[in-house]
């Protein structure tokens, strides 16, 4: 099976992220603007120009959402914790309807594998997953992970009662799919326009998306994460406003915007060190973290910026995501500088 580029939203993913963005802990606007600023884009201007549909979408979801007891465990948690829980949900969506035949030990093994192998692109055989039968084994496992102390305590509770907490998550998602559907209906007209542009974009960039997400993926558009590119083991989620960031118009203003974005990224010493390291050979997240003495979460943040700037690309090999320098983008940057300033 090759890559399948869908033009349909994934209700489970959309509802989960809508719930997270509706939590008291999450300030969607500030977070998005900060991410865009990090790419060298005027985040405030971009947000005001393109995000009216997203704001309306989120507002109507909040208006109709159902509050479930215990939801704070996931939706007020740190983003990395929520992201892993959401990944479990979208990869095991059949559990929502039939969770009875799954044991706590199976779920705990899955959580442990996904936490320990956050860069893996496929699950191993069940017999190769970690087996954590008691509290002492869970504690020993978590102490070895490169995560904050707060997240260790959160995962300790999750792994102590994994089926109970996943059932809470399933209930939250199931109860709020109608709110998601109502929100999509309310924004149906502007959404139809965005979807048309998205279809045109994905058709024109099918080869690039193949490289980004790799084979054996169903890639969905996402409205609630509109400028992000995310993937799980079998699915990808491509932000519907990404075209405005990655568009390569060759008019002078677009060239200057692209240069600002790339030069801002290279103005950070760690990002420059990453590119120098990748020039030697492609590496995956943990290799970069070890060689540069950075945490894996910090490396992931740097790679997200470099990827969105077009300075790196990804290759998926042996169940790992390898990052590579995009030499053509660097040559293009040098040529653009020469043309503007030479």
């Amino acid at each position: 099976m090759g890559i399948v580029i869908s033009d349909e939203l994934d209700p489970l993913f959309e509802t989960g992220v809508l719930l997270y963005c509706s939590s008291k802990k999450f300030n969607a606007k500030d977070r998005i603007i900060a991410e865009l600023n990090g790419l060298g884009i005027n985040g405030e201007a971009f947000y005001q120009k393109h995000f009216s549909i997203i704001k309306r979408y989120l507002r109507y979801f909040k208006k109709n959402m159902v509050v479930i007891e215990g939801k704070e465990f996931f939706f007020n948690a740190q983003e990395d914790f929520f992201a892993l829980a959401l990944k479990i949900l979208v990869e095991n969506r059949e559990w929502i309807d039939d969770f009875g035949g799954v044991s706590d030990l199976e779920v705990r093994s899955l959580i442990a594998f996904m936490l320990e192998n956050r860069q893996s692109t496929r699950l191993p055989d069940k017999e190769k997953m970690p087996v954590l039968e008691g509290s002492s084994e869970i504690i020993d496992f978590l102490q070895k992970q490169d995560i904050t102390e707060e997240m260790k305590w959160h995962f300790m509770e999750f792994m102590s009662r994994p089926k109970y907490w996943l059932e809470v998550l399933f209930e939250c998602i199931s109860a709020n799919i109608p709110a998601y559907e109502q929100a999509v209906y309310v924004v149906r007209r502007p959404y139809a326009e965005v979807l048309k542009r998205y279809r045109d974009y994905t058709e024109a960039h099918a080869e690039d998306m193949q490289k980004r997400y790799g084979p054996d993926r169903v890639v969905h558009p996402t409205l609630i994460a509109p400028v992000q590119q995310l993937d799980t083991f079998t699915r990808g989620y491509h932000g519907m406003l990404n075209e405005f960031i990655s568009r390569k118009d060759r008019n002078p203003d677009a060239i200057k915007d692209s240069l600002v974005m790339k030069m801002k990224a290279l103005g950070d010493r760690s990002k420059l060190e990453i590119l120098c390291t990748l020039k030697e050979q492609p590496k995956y997240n943990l290799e970069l973290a070890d060689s540069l003495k950075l945490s894996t979460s910090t490396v992931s943040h740097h790679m997200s910026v470099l990827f969105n700037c077009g300075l790196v690309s990804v290759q998926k090999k042996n169940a790992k995501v390898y990052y590579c320098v995009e030499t053509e983008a660097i040559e293009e940057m040098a040529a653009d500088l020469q043309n503007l300033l030479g």
Side-chain angles (χ1 to χ4, degrees), residues 66-75 164-165 167-169 171-172 175-176:
V66 178
V67 177
I68 302 295
E69 183 178 354
K71 77 176 185 66
E72 294 82 5
F73 183 74
F74 293 104
F75 302 110
Y164 167 78
W165 282 117
E167 284 169 347
V168 171
L169 178 61
E171 184 180 3
C172 289
N176 281 286

Side-chain angles (χ1 to χ4, degrees), residues 157-272:
E157 172 59 24
F158 191 19
M159 296 170 81
S160 296
R161 299 189 292 166
K163 283 192 67 175
Y164 167 78
W165 282 117
L166 279 184
E167 284 169 347
V168 171
L169 178 61
F170 297 161
E171 184 180 3
C172 289
I173 300 295
S174 298
N176 281 286
I177 284 181
Y180 148 74
E181 292 172 341
Q182 287 176 300
V184 173
Y185 180 78
V186 168
V187 300
R188 63 193 181 281
R189 290 180 181 174
Y191 175 70
E193 296 175 7
V194 173
L195 182 59
K196 182 182 183 303
R197 289 201 307 267
Y198 176 81
R199 286 170 174 158
D200 292 343
Y201 175 84
T202 55
E203 183 177 345
H205 295 80
E207 186 176 342
D208 291 340
M209 293 184 74
Q210 173 78 42
K211 292 177 182 178
R212 166 64 182 89
Y213 294 101
D216 304 325
R217 292 285 190 284
V218 178
V219 180
H220 294 273
T222 171
L223 190 58
I224 191 55
V227 291
Q228 298 198 11
Q229 300 172 74
L230 311 164
D231 58 1
T232 63
F233 298 121
T234 63
R235 296 175 187 270
Y237 297 93
H238 195 86
M240 298 183 78
L241 299 183
N242 270 323
E243 61 162 313
F244 294 109
I245 294 176
S246 58
R247 184 184 292 165
K248 292 184 177 180
D249 299 323
R250 301 313 293 162
N251 62 68
D253 285 340
I255 291 171
K256 290 173 184 175
D257 289 343
S258 176
L259 279 172
V260 168
M261 185 188 299
K262 291 171 183 173
M263 292 173 70
K264 187 166 184 177
L266 294 177
D268 178 86
R269 177 66 180 262
S270 294
K271 293 181 182 64
L272 183 59

Side-chain angles (χ1 to χ4, degrees), residues 267-328:
D268 178 86
R269 177 66 180 262
S270 294
K271 293 181 182 64
L272 183 59
E273 292 286 0
I274 286 172
L275 290 178
C276 291
T277 301
L278 293 179
K279 183 181 176 182
E280 300 170 8
Q281 65 180 41
K283 294 182 183 295
Y284 61 92
N285 192 289
L286 289 177
E287 289 180 317
L288 285 169
D290 289 343
S291 64
L292 298 173
K293 309 302 181 189
L294 298 171
S295 70
T296 54
S297 59
T298 298
V299 170
S300 294
H301 169 74
H302 289 321
M303 297 316 300
S304 177
V305 173
L306 291 170
F307 184 83
N308 281 321
C309 289
L311 293 173
V312 299
S313 59
V314 295
Q315 295 177 352
K316 297 190 177 182
K317 183 173 63 174
N318 299 326
K320 292 184 173 66
V321 177
Y322 285 83
Y323 295 100
C324 316
V325 173
E326 274 293 299
T327 54
E328 288 185 6

Side-chain angles (χ1 to χ4, degrees), residues 20 25-26 31 35 77-84 228:
Y20 191 76
K25 185 173 183 176
F26 192 85
R31 171 63 182 276
E35 287 180 353
Q78 289 189 10
E79 186 173 349
D80 286 350
F81 176 82
F82 167 73
L84 185 142
Q228 298 198 11

Side-chain angles (χ1 to χ4, degrees), residues 10 64 86 92 148 202 213 223 235 328 330:
D10 178 358
N64 295 290
L86 185 63
N92 300 278
T148 65
T202 55
Y213 294 101
L223 190 58
R235 296 175 187 270
E328 288 185 6
I330 293 172

Side-chain angles (χ1 to χ4, degrees), residues 55-148:
K55 291 185 285 185
R56 194 175 177 200
Y57 180 49
L58 182 56
R59 183 169 69 249
Y60 275 89
F61 177 82
K62 284 183 178 181
K63 181 179 178 181
N64 295 290
M65 74 177 182
V66 178
V67 177
I68 302 295
E69 183 178 354
K71 77 176 185 66
E72 294 82 5
F73 183 74
F74 293 104
F75 302 110
N76 283 350
Q78 289 189 10
E79 186 173 349
D80 286 350
F81 176 82
F82 167 73
L84 185 142
L86 185 63
K87 189 173 183 178
I88 291 173
L89 170 70
V90 299
E91 286 293 332
N92 300 278
R93 55 190 62 217
E94 71 279 3
W95 286 354
I96 293 181
D97 298 319
D98 184 11
F99 201 28
V102 184
S103 70
D104 270 329
L105 185 58
E106 286 179 83
V107 179
R108 187 180 300 125
S109 293
L110 177 60
I111 296 168
F113 170 79
M114 292 174 74
L115 177 59
E116 194 170 36
N117 299 274
R118 280 168 281 178
Q119 291 298 306
S120 178
T121 60
R122 68 171 181 261
L123 283 170
D125 296 332
K126 287 186 178 180
E127 58 267 20
K128 295 181 180 179
M129 288 191 181
V131 178
L132 308 175
E133 298 202 8
S135 297
S136 60
E137 290 173 301
I138 296 173
I139 292 171
D140 289 344
F141 171 80
L142 290 174
Q143 288 301 325
K144 298 173 185 176
Q145 303 309 307
D146 181 23
I147 55 178
T148 65

